[in-house]
Amino acid sequence: MLAILDGTVTDAAQAQIPATDDGFLRGDGVFEVMRLYGGRLFALDDHLTRLGRSAANLRLPIDLDAVRADVETLVERNDVQDAAMRVVVTRGGHRLAIVEELKPLPDTLALATIEYAPTRVLDQVKSLSYGANMLARRLAQEQGADDALLVTPHGRVLEGPTTTFVCSLDGETLVTPPLSEHILDSITRRHLFEVVEVTEQVLARDDLARVREAFMASTLREVHPVRTIDGAALPSAPGALTQDAAGRIRAHIEQELGVSA
């Protein structure tokens, strides 16, 4: 796999950022993860816009034109058709983009609720400080689940560590927590709203017992059906609404890129 560091293309294993960079020492930096379909990046402009917003909120200097040039150069040099691309900008002033293999995923997900309190000062910042998210996933896996569903100490349902949570309580309509709950403004969430009717609704932990079907959405997963929450099996996985959402988002991606995803 290839990487590009500060404009120079290299083997990903050889890309090196100084150990003194606060991006490494303190997680002080921002990142995005994009997906390649047929060698083309989906939603590049959306991801770069969010990267710039994250950097501004973190008071991190960033040259988005240079980041775009790095990404475009890496896409031209890359020969892996279907992959992920991670873009990182650090406090030390380094730009890094890496092509990564897509990891295998289970057909459906088992979720475990994990208590989590969003850090208000990092609202709408996709920062390198992802320790809490990764710990939440590990805690869920220790309970035998595939991933975590983050819930506040007051019982408000949020999102997954790296995904948006969407569910149906009545089997007819889809709902998802609003951004006012301090969840990430997901790129996939935005595109879902363009092709599927989804309503923002505050969800409580007690509502989870009424979920008829659910899925987690993200750049790398697209629409990923949920089969259980805290050990309780959902009536259908994937449900009809989930299957429809999966088909619509895939068709949307193919139309945007002009490729068969």
Side-chain angles (χ1 to χ4, degrees):
M1 293 293 180
L2 293 178
I4 185 167
L5 176 62
D6 299 331
T8 301
V9 177
T10 182
D11 185 88
Q14 302 303 314
Q16 299 180 5
I17 290 176
T20 53
D21 192 321
D22 270 0
F24 169 71
L25 294 177
R26 303 178 186 274
D28 192 359
V30 294
F31 79 101
E32 285 288 327
V33 175
M34 296 172 272
R35 184 163 169 179
L36 285 154
Y37 295 88
R40 299 187 62 188
L41 281 172
F42 177 66
L44 172 60
D45 289 345
D46 293 338
H47 283 284
L48 290 183
T49 296
R50 187 171 65 179
L51 186 73
R53 185 168 63 246
S54 292
N57 290 342
L58 201 60
R59 310 304 192 264
L60 177 74
I62 189 171
D63 183 342
L64 285 177
D65 289 336
V67 173
R68 179 183 290 274
D70 287 349
V71 168
E72 291 176 348
T73 297
L74 191 57
V75 168
E76 290 176 4
R77 295 282 299 274
N78 167 63
D79 59 5
V80 181
Q81 294 295 295
D82 298 303
M85 182 181 291
R86 184 178 303 271
V87 177
V88 175
V89 179
T90 71
R91 178 62 63 181
H94 294 287
R95 307 184 314 274
L96 173 67
I98 310 174
V99 177
E100 300 176 344
E101 291 184 355
L102 295 173
K103 297 178 181 178
L105 297 169
D107 291 338
T108 59
L109 289 169
L111 301 180
T113 55
I114 300 296
E115 189 172 288
Y116 177 86
T119 305
R120 297 292 194 266
V121 73
L122 287 178
D123 257 11
Q124 303 311 321
V125 176
K126 197 170 174 68
S127 82
L128 295 177
S129 305
Y130 246 50
N133 303 63
M134 296 301 94
L135 175 58
R137 175 169 291 165
R138 295 186 192 104
L139 292 174
Q141 291 172 344
E142 287 176 3
Q143 298 179 31
D146 298 306
D147 209 348
L149 178 57
L150 306 179
V151 179
T152 71
H154 302 294
R156 304 284 274 270
V157 177
L158 300 174
E159 58 190 342
T162 60
T163 55
T164 293
F165 178 66
V166 183
C167 70
S168 178
L169 301 177
D170 59 7
E172 298 179 1
T173 57
L174 291 171
V175 296
T176 191
L179 296 180
S180 58
E181 292 289 349
H182 308 285
I183 63 174
L184 184 70
D185 186 5
S186 158
I187 302 298
T188 305
R189 182 182 188 274
R190 287 189 179 194
H191 284 272
L192 268 173
F193 275 45
E194 293 181 21
V195 298
V196 180
E197 187 173 347
V198 184
T199 302
E200 289 188 324
Q201 178 178 320
V202 173
L203 296 170
R205 184 195 291 267
D206 291 345
D207 292 325
L208 296 176
R210 300 192 291 118
V211 171
R212 308 298 298 170
E213 62 176 283
F215 61 84
M216 308 302 277
S218 73
T219 291
L220 300 186
R221 297 170 186 264
E222 294 181 11
V223 169
H224 200 168
V226 174
R227 68 177 183 276
T228 65
I229 300 177
D230 286 337
L234 304 190
S236 55
L241 294 172
T242 299
Q243 294 180 65
D244 179 66
R248 287 176 182 271
I249 196 67
R250 175 55 67 94
H252 174 67
I253 292 168
E254 292 178 346
Q255 183 178 24
E256 288 285 312
L257 294 180
V259 299
S260 179

